Amino acid sequence: MSVRTRPGPRERLLEAADRLIYTHGVNVGVDALLKSANVARRSLYEHFGGKDGLIVEVLRSAAEADAADYRDTMDAAGDDPRARLLAVFDRIGEIIARPGFHGCRYLAADLALTDPGHPAHEVTRGYRRRVHALLERELVALGHPRPARAADQFLILIDGTLAAGATRPDGDPAAAARELAADLITP
Amino acid sequence: MSVRTRPGPRERLLEAADRLIYTHGVNVGVDALLKSANVARRSLYEHFGGKDGLIVEVLRSAAEADAADYRDTMDAAGDDPRARLLAVFDRIGEIIARPGFHGCRYLAADLALTDPGHPAHEVTRGYRRRVHALLERELVALGHPRPARAADQFLILIDGTLAAGATRPDGDPAAAARELAADLITP
DNA sequence: TGATAGATAGATCGATCGGTCTACCTAGGT
DNA sequence: ACCTAGGTAGACCGATCGATCTATCTATCA
């Protein structure tokens, strides 16, 4: 009643797995996930069917949040498509600087799950398509002659920036990539 | 005598591990490595001290070969620093198109080995420094005003290209990145 | 020829893996 | 008051993990 309802085992598992899978990789043990979430073993298999199902659901909800973050970032930058696009790299700079950052979770999942048939790949592919569409929309508004190709190039810059942030913490990869992006949208 | 001397267990293990670790990730089992190399269990621990030692040595020798590949690629492009730098992306395009390609092995290792103290990270860091130095050397020869920063940007483009090649096989990320690189070295 | 170093094969170790199962408990609805 | 659905706790399963060990074989060299 007066006590706030404790999140159910499904929510607790998603939250704990989101954190543990990012920090320890998808090969983190089921026991560690259950212990961190304070959830019974059985609940995992009831709600997600197994570890793979949990991984997929974690990626799906993270993708939802990250896509919303892209939208919010661009909306906060105003109406100018150019400013909206460049704001993405400022945001990525913040993300890289966050304690505990060590790379793009979607790329990490794709590289770690070497079975090309793993359902997680569909989730990451869908996420990239969404980001590509967000970028392309701005590039169209900007009147870019080849918006689809330019969105490809933006994604290359984003992936490269996240990789650089994970492996070469010195320097400011987001600012370096922002320069390249500015060239890309400055005729 | 007339038979070519069979490579020793160390060489066979390195070759098999290089292949299996790239295709199945660093979490591939020791048994699979031994079986693929036709090597006794004991030999692994004699030569490499353990699985981690083998991983480190595999990355080290791969880094040696890849650094040589960068040099050869640039040398084959002639003397013009601009041509030498852009040739890198043509080469990466070939690598991405190779059957079985699924991303940069060094980034995959860094993302999979979540322990920041794992000795493999030093190897990958050293490799990136070598590539950075190779690029910066050309940028200096080109008279680029900020060669170190430009080399950072080249590495971002390279990492992004490899990531795109691994996750979005459609399109031609190497060509897209080459365009950005050309802008970067065309005042 | 005999000694030695290095390789092979494989048993074995404790730990952990993902997954299934039983037993108990508790909150909500009738 | 009772039933039921969903949760917890934890034993248990076979498989696999990385690593250590013994025992045997083989090539090379003194």
Side-chain angles (χ1 to χ4, degrees):
Chain A
M1 277 309 193
S2 65
V3 182
R4 165 145 42 243
T5 314
R6 187 198 196 197
R10 184 188 152 90
E11 286 69 31
R12 275 177 288 149
L13 253 180
L14 278 176
E15 190 277 334
D18 179 71
R19 186 168 29 82
L20 278 186
I21 287 179
Y22 181 64
T23 58
H24 290 63
V26 293
N27 289 300
V28 65
V30 167
D31 286 335
L33 295 171
L34 298 175
K35 188 168 182 180
S36 171
N38 278 306
V39 156
R41 205 169 189 76
R42 181 171 178 160
S43 298
L44 190 162
Y45 295 91
E46 289 283 339
H47 285 289
F48 302 101
K51 188 190 171 186
D52 282 338
L54 175 60
I55 291 174
V56 167
E57 222 51 44
V58 163
L59 288 175
R60 206 190 302 275
S61 67
E64 203 69 38
D66 285 341
D69 191 42
Y70 272 103
R71 278 193 297 269
D72 293 346
T73 296
M74 295 199 297
D75 286 347
D79 288 335
D80 175 30
R82 203 182 125 88
R84 290 166 66 88
L85 284 168
L86 293 183
V88 166
F89 291 93
D90 297 328
R91 177 66 180 138
I92 291 176
E94 293 175 14
I95 292 172
I96 288 178
R98 239 157 26 185
F101 173 84
H102 55 270
C104 170
R105 74 171 73 222
Y106 309 103
L107 185 57
D110 283 321
L111 295 180
L113 301 171
T114 53
D115 172 16
H118 195 289
H121 295 302
E122 294 179 26
V123 178
T124 61
R125 204 154 44 89
Y127 170 71
R128 293 192 185 94
R129 265 204 298 264
R130 287 175 70 172
V131 176
H132 189 281
L134 283 176
L135 297 168
E136 188 174 353
R137 192 165 171 278
E138 301 300 321
L139 289 158
V140 167
L142 198 66
H144 194 285
R146 290 144 78 206
R149 156 62 71 105
D152 287 346
Q153 292 170 317
F154 261 90
L155 278 184
I156 289 175
L157 287 174
I158 290 172
D159 282 334
T161 304
L162 294 172
T167 59
R168 303 182 293 280
D170 52 316
D172 188 348
R178 195 194 139 110
E179 277 185 17
L180 290 170
D183 289 349
L184 182 52
I185 55 181
T186 304
Chain B
M1 281 303 194
S2 64
V3 183
R4 164 145 41 242
T5 314
R6 187 199 196 195
R10 185 188 151 90
E11 285 70 31
R12 275 178 287 150
L13 251 181
L14 278 176
E15 189 277 333
D18 179 69
R19 186 168 30 83
L20 279 186
I21 288 178
Y22 181 64
T23 58
H24 290 67
V26 293
N27 290 299
V28 64
V30 167
D31 286 336
L33 294 171
L34 299 175
K35 188 169 182 179
S36 171
N38 279 305
V39 156
R41 206 169 191 77
R42 181 171 178 160
S43 299
L44 190 161
Y45 295 91
E46 289 283 338
H47 286 289
F48 301 101
K51 188 191 173 187
D52 283 338
L54 175 60
I55 291 173
V56 167
E57 220 52 44
V58 162
L59 288 175
R60 205 190 302 276
S61 66
E64 202 70 37
D66 285 342
D69 192 43
Y70 271 103
R71 278 193 297 269
D72 293 347
T73 295
M74 294 199 296
D75 286 347
D79 288 335
D80 175 31
R82 202 183 125 87
R84 291 166 65 86
L85 284 168
L86 292 183
V88 166
F89 291 94
D90 298 327
R91 177 67 180 138
I92 292 177
E94 293 175 14
I95 291 172
I96 288 177
R98 239 156 29 184
F101 173 83
H102 55 269
C104 170
R105 73 171 74 222
Y106 308 103
L107 185 57
D110 283 321
L111 294 180
L113 301 171
T114 51
D115 172 15
H118 195 289
H121 295 304
E122 295 179 26
V123 178
T124 61
R125 203 154 44 89
Y127 170 70
R128 293 193 185 92
R129 265 204 298 264
R130 288 175 69 172
V131 176
H132 189 280
L134 283 174
L135 297 168
E136 187 174 355
R137 193 166 171 277
E138 301 299 323
L139 289 158
V140 167
L142 198 67
H144 195 284
R146 291 146 77 207
R149 156 62 71 106
D152 287 346
Q153 291 170 317
F154 261 89
L155 278 183
I156 289 174
L157 287 174
I158 290 173
D159 281 334
T161 305
L162 294 172
T167 60
R168 303 183 293 279
D170 52 315
D172 189 348
R178 194 194 140 111
E179 276 184 18
L180 289 171
D183 289 349
L184 182 51
I185 55 182
T186 302

